[in-house]
Amino acid sequence: MLKFCVRMVMMLTFAMAAFGLLIVSYAGKSQGQGPYHFFIMQAAFLVAGLIAAAVICRVDYRFFRNPAILWTLGAVMVVALLMVLTPGIGKSVKGSHRWIALGPINVQPVEFVKVGMVVFLSAYLERLGGMVNRFRQGFLIPVGLLGVVAGLLVLQPDFGGTAVVCFLSGLMLLMGGVGVRKCLALAVLGLLAIGLLVLTNENRMRRLMNEKEGENYQAQQSEIAFRNGGMFGVGLGEGMQKEHYLPECHTDFVFAVIGEDLGLVATGAVWTAFVLLLGCGTVIAFRARDKQGMLLAFGATMVLCAQGAANMAVVTHVFPTKGLALPFFSYGGSCLLASFCAVGLLLGVGRVTLEEEASPESAAKRLLSLD
């Protein structure tokens, strides 16, 4: 069963990324960058992602238990988010400071921070052992790092990214044994903070209440795309909404392009792929040999599936419009590379588990050498 799930994750990942490349190539043609620009760029990121996943999957995940490596990872996440807000380094688009300009490529650190928090918390909670229920070690320290990260994301501002990072971190703490009461307290604190941010900003309040004329333009155009597509779609590349009607059609709203071009059958297939990925990732997580492996595999799975579900909920007008990409499908190197990193971590846990189940003695020796 475990071997089947590992192989299924590999097949699903490749299938979704390949399908995403096809959709992006059609959706991007209306963006004025040339007919093959987005195809070439996304294909390059896809190859880089495959290489990254292959390398990460060969690394023993217990490597991150080393305190120096663990806290270096935490520092790198904070520094990367600070760089986004630094004039001359960070790049602003439509009033948001979410990117670091590296020549022709813009890096969005939040995509990697989502994966980084999963790696950090899985290793940190494993190291705590029986001290996980202590307030300072098991709650105050990880929540302190989460607070710094969330605060920097709010300053960008990136409320969608903040919500995903906080949700993932809270779930990791709960799964790691921090305690239901503490996690509920964290959830209440987060909801109060969100409420305060919304109530103190008139534009956010209008957006949430759907009061501003034209505020839901993207959602309305997305709904038209789904209606046009019906059951089987109008044909690949034949949809009209991506022709300057639906903003961000090749990035955040690519799911609507799939719905119009290929219909409910294709959008249902995308949903099914994420459900299968969730199921296989959960099997890998609960077959892991230790808490760190379980948390890492489950967290990596949720990075992909929780964000995928949130994006599809936004595009179908269930959630308010937020800048969340659809993993493997939306155009963008940061999201695609981070998604492949998450897959590499998930496959790495599966690989270590399979090796240790096959040869427990050699696995014990390797574990002693890591400790």
Side-chain angles (χ1 to χ4, degrees), residues 1-74:
M1 183 65 176
L2 178 60
K3 186 178 292 187
F4 170 81
C5 287
V6 168
R7 290 176 178 173
M8 181 62 74
V9 168
M10 290 191 287
M11 288 189 292
L12 286 169
T13 299
F14 185 79
M16 287 193 288
F19 184 41
L21 176 62
L22 179 66
I23 295 298
V24 163
S25 67
Y26 280 97
K29 287 182 179 179
S30 62
Q31 304 301 308
Q33 294 286 342
Y36 303 109
H37 172 79
F38 291 104
F39 175 84
I40 293 171
M41 293 296 292
Q42 191 77 344
F45 294 136
L46 174 55
V47 172
L50 287 170
I51 294 171
V55 171
I56 291 171
C57 132
R58 301 305 303 175
V59 176
D60 193 314
Y61 61 85
R62 291 166 295 202
F63 165 79
F64 295 103
R65 290 183 194 174
N66 186 308
I69 294 170
L70 182 63
W71 289 106
T72 298
L73 173 62

Side-chain angles (χ1 to χ4, degrees), residues 130-306:
M131 295 191 297
V132 71
N133 288 316
R134 294 188 180 181
F135 181 76
R136 187 177 71 86
Q137 291 94 338
F139 185 76
L140 197 58
I141 292 176
V143 170
L145 176 62
L146 174 60
V148 172
V149 169
L152 291 172
L153 288 173
V154 168
L155 290 176
Q156 292 185 5
D158 184 356
F159 298 106
T162 305
V164 172
V165 169
C166 290
F167 172 77
L168 288 171
S169 300
L171 192 60
M172 293 281 289
L173 292 171
L174 181 63
M175 295 285 291
V178 169
V180 175
R181 291 183 180 179
K182 292 173 185 171
C183 290
L184 284 175
L186 179 61
V188 170
L189 184 63
L191 290 173
L192 288 173
I194 292 171
L196 183 63
L197 288 170
V198 171
L199 291 173
T200 55
N201 186 289
E202 184 178 353
N203 185 51
R204 291 182 204 132
M205 193 69 183
R206 281 190 220 166
R207 195 171 190 176
L208 183 64
M209 301 301 294
N210 299 334
E211 292 177 357
K212 187 175 180 180
E213 183 179 355
E215 188 68 67
N216 290 314
Y217 177 79
Q218 281 181 304
Q220 292 165 0
Q221 295 302 315
S222 177
E223 184 179 342
I224 292 171
F226 286 115
R227 285 206 306 265
N228 290 344
M231 180 61 71
F232 299 104
V234 299
L236 185 60
E238 299 299 322
M240 290 302 297
Q241 288 306 106
K242 61 180 174 289
E243 302 296 333
H244 308 294
Y245 292 102
L246 179 61
E248 314 297 339
C249 65
H250 62 308
T251 55
D252 300 347
F253 278 75
V254 73
F255 189 59
V257 175
I258 297 173
E260 184 176 25
D261 284 9
L262 300 174
L264 183 62
V265 171
T267 55
V270 173
W271 268 104
T272 301
F274 278 105
V275 170
L276 289 173
L277 183 61
L278 176 62
C280 291
T282 302
V283 170
I284 294 172
F286 287 98
R287 283 285 295 274
R289 308 283 284 186
D290 53 30
K291 179 190 281 189
Q292 183 184 1
M294 183 272 290
L295 290 174
L296 184 59
F298 189 73
T301 302
M302 293 306 296
V303 165
L304 303 170
C305 296

